[in-house]
Amino acid sequence: RALCSGWSDTHCTENIILPPASPLVQDMEGWDLTLGNLTEHLICYTAVQSEDHSALNTARALCSESVILRANSPENWFRYGVILEK
């Protein structure tokens, strides 16, 4: 009993349609977009601008984590300092 691929050009007599064996992907390697840094900037900026206590606590926790994970980043240390001064 022969199975037909859904994307094959041959005529099939069976009613079973299978997807192709290789996945269909775009050739965009190296163009990955991570929104982690953008989200971190957004949370810290809005916390500083709003001066809301709970928002500042969230931003402090986020900055504290980023300083621990990326200790050699001057940008993270600067942002952490700005959050701590508020």
Side-chain angles (χ1 to χ4, degrees):
R1 176 175 161 166
L3 299 177
C4 300
S5 173
W7 287 273
S8 66
D9 292 334
T10 60
H11 179 66
C12 296
T13 58
E14 298 288 328
N15 291 332
I16 301 171
I17 297 176
L18 298 175
S22 62
L24 302 174
V25 296
Q26 294 180 357
D27 189 18
M28 300 287 284
E29 291 183 25
W31 291 91
D32 295 334
L33 176 64
T34 57
L35 297 177
N37 292 339
L38 180 64
T39 306
E40 188 175 322
H41 284 289
L42 179 68
I43 290 171
C44 292
Y45 178 77
T46 54
V48 169
Q49 294 299 316
S50 70
E51 295 185 7
D52 179 43
H53 184 68
S54 63
L56 285 170
N57 285 339
T58 303
R60 285 184 189 118
L62 185 65
C63 288
S64 175
E65 180 184 1
S66 68
V67 164
I68 290 170
L69 294 176
R70 295 174 292 210
N72 291 333
S73 174
E75 177 185 1
N76 289 339
W77 282 103
F78 176 75
R79 191 173 340 139
Y80 191 41
V82 168
I83 294 293
L84 288 177
E85 286 179 353
K86 293 289 181 175

